[in-house]
């Protein structure tokens, strides 16, 4: 039984519901960020991230820096690209637009390869683009939070390495790390960026990055300094290396409480095989999508291979708008998110199903949400089929 105050189940695509032990870790007493106890906790946290991303390569480097997932874009753009470089941004929704904007801020030329809403760029299109121009980086959003579209990373990375082997493969995993499989070494990924508040199951406030040795070498071989101070690997790389080696180090003060919460969450995640975690998310996702389909509701990602396992974007029927249905869910103890994609934001809602709401079988969050959606739609005049 949870010790948290009674509250609606937060089932948006992040932040998500938190385990009691994670929240308890947030109340850790104040301590020095360069004291031995905290240095040990931070070092263990960085080492556990290697396990979560499934990397054993000693030249790979994890980073945990105070900030939102958005900071990950700056870390990539400021350190791995230089003014005038070309990057290819695969577009599956809102967040590709934002990542491209971030690159342009640093004087990097971003070309977007766009797919229709609910779909993803196809591999032959990507190959064609890579053959037409030399790109420093290729970025892909593993799961776009605005559309629920899942990108296939393994085949994409293989294509990049085969077609344009000098191009770095960068994965925006903000809405995928912890609920979708990522094999960092095996798939030849160069960067995965994510955040603490989604499937990892920790309160918001930490930007998390895993970089390959090749990415670190790209940074070291820059011809110009990074165009950021706070986001510069020059400042952060020795800090992360020292913390993981259990040595105190300082550039900017971290949040000990958030690091303790992340440590607790990662300990929980790694207490069972990752394969079981991913299988559980797939099974629950399939149940949700099957139920929603039985209600007569289509998804933005209509093709099964494009459907994320940690969230579902659902088109509303009969021109019902999100502000009309969301209050009916709230009064039933469930919080969904409205639409985010600029072109269709008023036509759909987003259901986040990741982390503790999926993994803790004693919780009824998912079934309560499906029931609330059905009843809420009926209350606004839609005849639910299922």
């Amino acid at each position: 039984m949870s010790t948290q105050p009674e509250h609606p189940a937060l089932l948006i695509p992040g932040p998500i519901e938190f385990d009691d032990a994670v929240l308890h870790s947030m109340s850790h007493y104040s301590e020095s960020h360069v004291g031995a106890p905290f240095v040990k906790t931070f070092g263990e946290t960085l080492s556990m991230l290697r396990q979560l991303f499934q990397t054993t390569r000693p030249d790979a480097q994890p980073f945990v820096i105070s900030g939102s997932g958005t900071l990950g874009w700056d870390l990539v753009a400021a350190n791995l690209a230089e003014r005038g470089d070309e990057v290819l941004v695969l577009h599956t929704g809102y967040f590709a637009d934002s990542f491209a904007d971030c690159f342009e801020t640093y004087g990097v030329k971003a070309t977007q390869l766009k797919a229709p809403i609910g779909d993803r760029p196809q591999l032959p299109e990507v190959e064609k683009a890579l053959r037409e121009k030399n790109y420093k980086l290729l970025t892909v959003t593993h799961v776009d939070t605005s559309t629920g579209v899942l990108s296939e990373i393994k085949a994409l990375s293989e294509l990049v390495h085969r077609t344009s082997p000098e191009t770095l493969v960068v994965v925006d995993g903000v809405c995928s790390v912890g609920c979708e499989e990522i094999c960092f070494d095996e798939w030849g990924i160069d960067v995965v960026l994510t955040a603490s508040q989604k499937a990892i199951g920790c309160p918001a406030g930490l930007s998390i990055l895993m970089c390959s040795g090749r990415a670190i070498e790209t940074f070291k071989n820059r011809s110009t300094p990074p165009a950021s101070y706070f986001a510069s690997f020059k400042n952060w790389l020795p800090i992360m290396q020292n913390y993981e080696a259990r040595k105190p180090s300082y550039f900017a003060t971290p949040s000990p409480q958030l690091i303790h919460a992340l440590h607790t969450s990662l300990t929980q995640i790694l207490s069972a095989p990752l394969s079981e975690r991913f299988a559980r998310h797939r099974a629950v996702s399939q149940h949700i999508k099957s139920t929603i389909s039985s209600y007569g509701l289509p998804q933005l990602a209509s093709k099964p291979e494009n459907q994320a396992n940690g969230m579902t974007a659902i088109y509303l029927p009969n021109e019902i708008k999100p502000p009309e249905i969301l209050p009916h869910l709230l009064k039933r103890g469930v919080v969904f998110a409205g639409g985010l994609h600029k072109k269709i934001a008023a036509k759909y809602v987003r259901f986040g199903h990741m982390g503790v709401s999926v993994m803790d079988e004693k919780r009824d969050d998912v079934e309560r949400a499906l029931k609330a959606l059905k009843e809420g739609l009926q209350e606004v005049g839609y005849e639910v089929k299922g």
Side-chain angles (χ1 to χ4, degrees), residues 11-335:
L11 296 172
I12 65 175
I16 66 168
E17 287 288 322
F18 303 125
D19 184 83
D20 286 2
V22 173
L23 292 184
H24 180 72
S25 296
M26 281 290 292
S27 65
H28 194 281
Y29 55 81
S30 188
E31 63 182 336
S32 168
H33 55 288
V34 292
F38 177 70
V39 170
K40 177 176 181 293
T41 298
F42 204 156
E44 290 173 353
T45 300
L46 292 167
S47 297
M48 284 192 285
L49 283 171
R50 294 180 181 272
Q51 298 177 61
L52 178 62
F53 286 97
Q54 301 189 73
T55 177
T56 58
R57 292 182 63 93
D59 59 350
Q61 180 60 53
F63 294 81
V64 179
I65 301 172
S66 294
S68 72
T70 305
L71 176 60
W73 296 337
D74 282 88
L75 290 164
V76 169
N79 293 289
L80 301 182
E82 300 187 55
R83 181 172 292 275
D85 282 345
E86 301 273 359
V87 299
L88 181 62
V89 177
L90 303 190
H91 186 288
T92 54
Y94 174 93
F95 290 93
D97 290 326
S98 300
F99 205 166
D101 285 346
C102 180
F103 279 120
E104 297 287 349
T105 300
Y106 289 90
V108 178
K109 300 174 183 177
T111 298
Q112 293 198 58
L113 183 58
K114 296 191 175 186
I117 295 174
D119 208 344
R120 63 193 187 198
Q122 300 302 297
L123 294 181
E125 299 174 280
V126 178
E127 182 173 3
K128 181 175 182 292
L130 289 172
R131 292 190 184 281
E132 291 174 347
K133 190 181 292 185
N134 292 323
Y135 290 105
K136 184 75 165 288
L137 313 171
L138 175 144
T139 76
V140 56
T141 309
H142 197 181
V143 173
D144 195 291
T145 313
S146 72
T147 59
V149 170
L150 172 70
S151 292
E152 211 292 311
I153 304 301
K154 181 181 179 183
L156 175 64
S157 183
E158 289 172 350
L159 171 66
V160 175
H161 284 281
R162 183 175 67 250
T163 306
S164 182
E166 299 303 313
T167 301
L168 298 182
V169 178
V170 177
V171 177
D172 181 336
V174 169
C175 198
S176 69
V177 173
C179 60
E180 305 282 357
E181 185 174 31
I182 296 176
C183 300
F184 192 86
D185 290 352
E186 181 184 336
W187 295 352
I189 302 170
D190 290 297
V191 179
V192 177
L193 63 97
T194 190
S196 52
Q197 77 275 10
K198 301 207 179 194
I200 289 176
C202 177
L206 295 176
S207 182
I208 299 166
L209 208 73
M210 182 65 72
C211 291
S212 70
R214 192 167 76 132
I216 297 299
E217 285 305 308
T218 297
F219 161 72
K220 290 180 178 179
N221 292 330
R222 293 178 62 91
S223 59
T224 59
S228 172
Y229 182 68
F230 183 74
S232 173
F233 281 0
K234 177 184 176 182
N235 294 320
W236 285 115
L237 183 58
I239 305 300
M240 296 299 129
Q241 291 172 335
N242 285 342
Y243 269 126
E244 198 167 9
R246 312 305 193 261
K247 299 176 183 177
S249 197
Y250 175 75
F251 163 59
T253 306
S255 167
Q257 285 68 33
L258 278 171
I259 297 298
H260 277 286
L262 179 59
H263 185 281
T264 299
S265 182
L266 290 173
T267 300
Q268 293 177 338
I269 290 171
L270 297 171
S271 66
L274 287 172
S275 58
E276 294 180 7
R277 182 178 182 87
F278 301 141
R280 173 70 179 166
H281 277 85
R282 282 194 298 272
V284 171
S285 178
Q286 288 167 8
H287 167 61
I288 289 169
K289 289 168 171 60
S290 175
T291 302
I292 287 169
S293 179
S294 76
Y295 292 171
L297 303 176
Q299 297 177 52
L300 268 68
S302 59
K303 300 175 184 176
E305 65 270 22
N306 291 348
Q307 294 171 357
N309 293 302
M311 66 165 291
T312 305
I314 309 162
Y315 276 119
L316 294 171
N318 300 354
E319 299 187 356
I320 297 170
K321 302 292 190 293
E324 297 171 41
I325 184 65
L326 294 179
H328 293 279
L329 303 184
L330 179 59
K331 73 181 183 181
R332 289 172 170 81
V334 172
V335 179

